[in-house]
Amino acid sequence: MTVDDTGSGEGEHPAPDGGDGRTPGPVAGRGKDDFGVPEVSDVDGKSEDDEAKDPLALRLEQLILGADRRYTPFQAARSAGVSMELASRFWRAMGFPDIGQAKALTEADVLALRRLAGLVEAGLLSEAMAVQVARSTGQTTARLAEWQIDSFLEGLTEPPEPGMTRTEVTYPLIELLLPELEEFLVYVWRRQLAAATGRVVQAADDEEMVDRRLAVGFADLVGFTRLTRRMEEEELGELVEAFETTAADLVAAHGGRLIKTLGDEVLYAADDAGVAAEIALRLIETMANDETMPELRVGMAFGTVTTRMGDVFGTTVNLASRLTSIAPRDAVLVDGAFAEELTRTGDAPASETQAAEEAAAAEKEGEEPPSYRFALQPMWQRPVRGLGVVEPWLLARRG
C-alpha cells in the first residue's frame, strides 16, 4: 500500500503542506511516523536542522547533492509512490539516521526511491534484495566518503596563504573535484562489476555461483596490541595505512581479491590456491624487508565459501582465521584441503621424498625434473577451537 490511502492517485505530487492540502497526521493507531518520531507540521519549510547548520555547510550540501531540500520523508515517499514503511527501510539501509518530518530530502532522493521500488514492482528484485542493494551500496560508499574527507580533502584544503580560512578554500575545491571524482567512481565500479560478473559466469553450476570453492587467507600483524600502547596515534595510523596499502597492492597485483581490512589484519580470497599461496609468501617477504613493520603471520584454507554483500563466510573462513592465530612469526600455515589442492595442480609435491624420486628418475632419463613452486611440511595435529583436530601444513618456497 502506498502512503496515499485516500485514493487521490499514486505518484501524485504532494502539496507543500504535506501532500493533499492537509497537514499529515500520525499513522493510524501509532501516533508516530514510520521513522519513529512524532510527526510535526512543516509550516515555514525550514527544519530546526536547517537553522542550526552553518551556512557554508548548507551550501556545500546543495553543491554536492545538486538540489535544494524540498521534501519531508512523508512527501518524498508519496511523490515516489511508495509506502513510508518501505521508504524508511531503504533510508536506514543506506545508513542514514531517522529525520522525523524535517524537510531535508531532494528530488534525487525521490528518484532513488522510485527506481528501487520500480525494480521491485517489475519483479527484477525482491523487496529484501532491494534493501540489501541499498545496504551494501550505503556501507561501501560511506567508508569511501569518510576516507576521502579525512585523508584526501583535509590535506588539500590547507589554506594556501596566511590569513585564508579553510572554509574559503573548500567550496571552490569541491566544485572542481566533484565531477572528476564522480566519473572516476562510476568507472571503477563498472570495472569491478565486469570482473565480478566474469568470475560468476565461469562457475561450474548455479550452486557454485553462491557457494564457491575458494582459497581464503588472513594476514595478521604480530604484537599489534603491544604496539598500540607504545606508539603515538599518528604513528599507529601511518603504520596501519602502510600495511593496508601494501597488502591491497600485493593482493590485487597477483590476482587475488581483498575482502576487507581490520586494522592489523587483512582478509583476501582467490579462485586458485597457487595464487593465494604466492600472495601469502609475497606478503611475508615484503613485510620482512621493511624495518618499520612488525612481523607477519598468515593462515589459509581452501573449500566452500558463502559470499554475501562482498564478504565471505563459512567453515573455510573460520579455519583460515584459526590457522592465522597459531601460525609462527613470518610464516604461512595452510589446512589439509589447501595442501591437497596445491598438489593436485602441480604447484607443490606431495612430499619431499616424492620430489627427490621424481628428480632422480628424470635425471636418469635425461629429462627435466618436475618444477614445483611451493614446498609443504606437515606440522603436528592440534585441536582448534570450534573446528576439532586439524593438521596444519607449513608453506614455503621451493629452494
Side-chain angles (χ1 to χ4, degrees), residues 160-354:
E161 297 179 11
M164 289 188 70
T165 64
R166 178 169 290 177
T167 55
E168 291 174 319
V169 181
T170 302
Y171 190 93
L173 181 64
I174 290 181
E175 193 171 27
L176 291 171
L177 280 175
L178 191 62
E180 302 299 326
L181 291 177
E182 183 176 18
E183 287 190 16
F184 185 70
L185 174 62
V186 173
Y187 154 74
V188 175
W189 171 72
R190 283 182 177 271
R191 267 288 177 189
Q192 293 286 8
L193 188 63
T197 303
R199 290 193 295 269
V200 168
V201 297
Q202 289 176 21
D205 51 47
D206 288 346
E207 287 187 8
E208 195 179 333
M209 288 185 180
V210 178
D211 296 323
R212 304 162 59 195
R213 286 179 64 77
L214 295 175
V216 178
F218 280 92
D220 177 56
L221 292 175
V222 178
F224 185 76
T225 303
R226 290 194 301 274
L227 279 176
T228 60
R229 300 193 199 102
R230 298 203 315 260
M231 298 179 72
E232 297 291 335
E233 288 185 5
E234 187 173 344
E235 288 180 295
L236 195 63
E238 290 174 355
L239 184 144
V240 168
E241 185 176 356
F243 169 58
E244 290 183 351
T245 300
T246 301
D249 287 348
L250 285 172
V251 169
H254 292 88
R257 297 186 299 285
L258 188 69
I259 304 299
K260 59 186 174 185
T261 59
L262 305 168
D264 62 331
E265 190 173 58
V266 297
L267 168 61
Y268 69 93
D271 297 311
D272 181 81
V275 168
E278 181 65 30
I279 291 170
L281 293 172
R282 292 269 183 173
L283 283 168
I284 294 289
E285 292 158 359
T286 302
M287 297 299 172
N289 288 327
D290 187 341
E291 295 181 355
T292 66
M293 282 289 172
E295 295 162 305
L296 191 70
R297 56 190 177 188
V298 180
M300 294 190 293
F302 186 85
T304 301
V305 173
T306 299
T307 59
R308 290 288 187 278
M309 293 176 63
D311 208 342
V312 290
F313 307 91
T315 303
T316 302
V317 180
N318 295 338
L319 180 53
S321 177
R322 299 287 189 271
L323 289 171
T324 306
S325 66
I326 62 174
R329 296 165 181 256
D330 285 339
V332 181
L333 283 189
V334 303
D335 74 325
F338 196 105
E340 288 178 13
E341 184 66 11
L342 287 180
T343 302
R344 185 188 70 81
T345 57
D347 285 310
S351 67
E352 289 305 309
T353 301
Q354 176 191 316

Side-chain angles (χ1 to χ4, degrees), residues 138-166:
Q139 290 177 357
T140 303
T141 52
R143 185 178 181 189
L144 174 63
E146 288 289 345
W147 181 87
Q148 288 176 330
I149 292 299
D150 291 345
S151 304
F152 182 52
L153 290 178
E154 183 179 357
L156 286 177
T157 53
E158 288 292 342
E161 297 179 11
M164 289 188 70
T165 64
R166 178 169 290 177

